[in-house]
């Protein structure tokens, strides 16, 4: 089985964005009525997925995808907690419906209702609702709800502990994924995402105490880890200078990278540095980069073509394409096992 651990519902029916627009309009003018999500039929959801993510997944030889709300659309920089809760609930309910309509191909991962500096009680409550009531297998955690201004404490700070306690209890990992950038100095897809991936790994290098406290805590750093593989020597050297463990220690059971890297040399380097044990196949298809590389004819986000180009052993391919995802997402593994897969 080929499991893509990084998919977003970027093709939602227009009623979903209309609800968001109404939310933002009411924040600008509180005299407007509190908006409610518009009705979206099952057929509209089927059409939005069958002709997009599912069609491409099948064409490229994939079998299964972990599916979450659109990352840039999470918009955690909007500071109103009630708006954040309603928006996260609407997005999570939609991906739950996708997973219910296409159970052979999708499992749901939730958006959290984060706000800059906000209390995490709402995020814990939504995580529990999604996992315990709706069968979600993971969550997306935004380390920078401010949208490029980095006002939140590092992920090793006790601020985050209530969420980590719930994640550990429920047995779910977090993909550490920012949302849209509000800082004009940071392009959302070309800078903010990759800055965050890099920054988060640097934060977690000081996480020995964190993982001692929460040994079952698991993070997936997307987009190939940003600059981390390219500068692995820098991180090892800094760790030694600061008296910290070798960063490779993070890569045993707690920190993993996905393969959302859109050219062969990048995938080659990612594998050489990180190794097959801590790589999860992912594409983020129909997300950040669409179209094909004119030099190769390969679609930018057809990461399976690049992973195939690694020429791994059968055992390594089994880990990258399936085994690591099942190890990192134990609820996914339990579900697939129960289904005989």
């Amino acid at each position: 089985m080929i499991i893509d651990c990084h998919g977003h519902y970027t093709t939602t029916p227009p009623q979903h964005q209309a609800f968001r627009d109404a939310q933002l309009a009411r924040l600008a003018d509180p005299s407007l009525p509190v908006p409610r999500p518009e009705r979206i039929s099952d057929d509209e959801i089927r059409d939005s997925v069958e002709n997009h993510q599912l069609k491409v997944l099948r064409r490229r030889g994939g079998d299964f995808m972990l599916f979450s709300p659109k990352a840039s659309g999470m918009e955690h920089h909007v500071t109103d907690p009630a708006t954040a809760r309603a928006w996260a609930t609407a997005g999570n309910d939609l991906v739950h419906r996708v997973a219910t309509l296409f159970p052979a191909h999708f499992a749901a991962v939730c958006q959290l209702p984060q706000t800059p500096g906000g209390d995490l009680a709402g995020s814990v409550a939504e995580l529990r609702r999604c996992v315990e009531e709706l069968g979600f297998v993971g969550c997306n955690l935004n380390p920078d709800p401010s949208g490029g201004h980095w006002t939140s404490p590092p992920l090793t700070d006790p601020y985050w502990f209530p969420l980590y306690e719930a994640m550990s209890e429920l047995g779910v990992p977090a993909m550490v994924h920012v949302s849209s950038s509000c800082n004009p100095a940071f392009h959302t897809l070309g800078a903010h995402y990759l800055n965050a991936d890099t920054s988060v790994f640097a934060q977690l290098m000081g996480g020995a105490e964190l993982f001692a406290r929460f040994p079952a805590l698991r993070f997936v750093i997307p987009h190939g880890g940003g600059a981390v593989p390219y500068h692995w020597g820098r991180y090892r050297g800094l760790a030694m200078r600061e008296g910290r463990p070798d960063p490779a220690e993070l890569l045993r059971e707690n920190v993993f990278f996905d393969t959302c890297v859109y050219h062969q040399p990048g995938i080659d380097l990612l594998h050489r540095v990180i190794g097959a044990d801590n790589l999860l196949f992912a594409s983020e298809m129909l997300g950040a980069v669409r179209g094909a590389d004119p030099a190769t004819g390969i679609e930018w986000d057809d990461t399976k073509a690049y992973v195939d180009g690694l020429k791994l052993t059968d055992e390594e391919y089994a880990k990258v394409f399936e085994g690591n995802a099942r190890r990192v997402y134990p609820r996914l593994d339990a579900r697939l096992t129960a289904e005989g897969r």
Side-chain angles (χ1 to χ4, degrees):
M1 178 182 291
I2 296 178
I3 300 172
D4 186 334
C5 79
H6 190 168
H8 297 299
Y9 199 179
T10 56
T11 57
T12 52
Q15 299 96 309
H16 187 55
Q17 185 59 47
F19 171 56
R20 183 57 168 176
D21 294 342
Q23 280 192 314
L24 298 179
R26 187 176 186 274
L27 289 177
D29 180 2
S31 68
L32 293 172
V34 176
R36 297 286 183 267
E38 297 184 36
R39 181 182 179 276
I40 300 174
S41 70
D42 286 352
D43 284 343
E44 288 174 299
I45 292 177
R46 289 190 186 97
D47 182 68
S48 71
V49 173
E50 284 182 329
N51 293 316
H52 296 95
Q53 288 88 352
L54 184 54
K55 178 181 178 180
V56 177
L57 184 72
R58 287 167 167 162
R59 187 180 75 226
R60 293 177 180 173
D63 299 299
F64 201 88
M65 177 179 285
L66 301 187
F67 209 48
S68 64
K70 181 180 177 181
S72 62
M74 295 189 296
E75 295 183 331
H76 291 129
H77 61 273
V78 177
T79 58
D80 182 62
T83 300
R85 288 193 299 271
W87 181 233
T89 297
N92 290 334
D93 286 350
L94 276 182
V95 297
H96 171 62
R97 290 178 66 187
V98 171
T100 300
L101 290 168
F102 301 100
H105 298 289
F106 293 97
V109 169
C110 67
Q111 169 182 333
L112 301 175
Q114 297 177 246
T115 54
D119 188 285
L120 291 175
S123 293
V124 171
E126 180 63 6
L127 177 66
R128 289 190 178 280
R129 181 185 81 93
C130 287
V131 173
E132 296 177 334
E133 299 178 22
L134 303 180
F136 281 52
V137 300
C139 64
N140 288 341
L141 170 62
N142 188 346
D144 173 37
S146 71
H149 295 287
W150 289 92
T151 58
S152 293
L155 290 184
T156 52
D157 190 89
Y159 167 79
W160 302 99
F161 286 4
L163 183 62
Y164 297 163
E165 289 169 359
M167 288 169 54
S168 298
E169 176 191 337
L170 296 170
V172 296
M175 177 170 282
V176 185
H177 204 308
V178 290
S179 187
S180 54
S181 172
C182 299
N183 186 335
F186 300 133
H187 184 279
T188 293
L189 304 177
H192 184 44
Y193 279 19
L194 305 181
N195 291 348
D197 305 330
T198 307
S199 297
V200 161
F201 187 80
Q203 292 174 12
L204 294 177
M205 281 177 56
E209 295 84 2
L210 174 68
F211 294 122
R213 182 185 182 110
F214 300 105
L217 193 63
R218 296 178 302 280
F219 295 117
V220 178
I221 301 180
H223 319 116
V228 173
Y230 189 67
H231 286 289
W232 191 248
R234 175 181 291 257
Y235 292 111
R236 293 188 67 232
L238 287 172
M240 292 177 185
R241 189 182 79 178
E242 296 169 3
R244 300 185 183 278
D246 190 308
E249 293 297 314
L250 295 175
L251 301 181
R252 296 188 185 277
E253 297 296 333
N254 300 109
V255 179
F256 300 81
F257 292 68
D258 79 9
T259 65
C260 289
V261 178
Y262 296 156
H263 68 150
Q264 191 66 53
I267 289 286
D268 293 345
L269 176 66
L270 177 65
H271 172 252
R272 285 202 303 270
V273 173
I274 303 302
D277 287 345
N278 286 75
L279 292 182
L280 278 68
F281 173 69
S283 68
E284 202 177 19
M285 67 163 66
L286 306 183
V289 184
R290 305 191 188 191
D293 184 345
T296 63
I298 299 173
E299 292 170 293
W300 297 109
D301 58 5
D302 184 3
T303 52
K304 183 177 181 298
Y306 309 131
V307 174
D308 287 343
L310 290 174
K311 302 295 190 296
L312 304 180
T313 66
D314 289 346
E315 180 182 4
E316 289 173 324
Y317 273 126
K319 291 177 179 178
V320 174
F321 280 138
E322 178 181 6
N324 291 341
R326 296 177 75 135
R327 177 162 64 104
V328 175
Y329 292 83
R331 286 181 175 266
L332 172 66
D333 179 56
R335 171 184 154 181
L336 294 175
T337 299
E339 295 170 352
R341 294 196 278 174

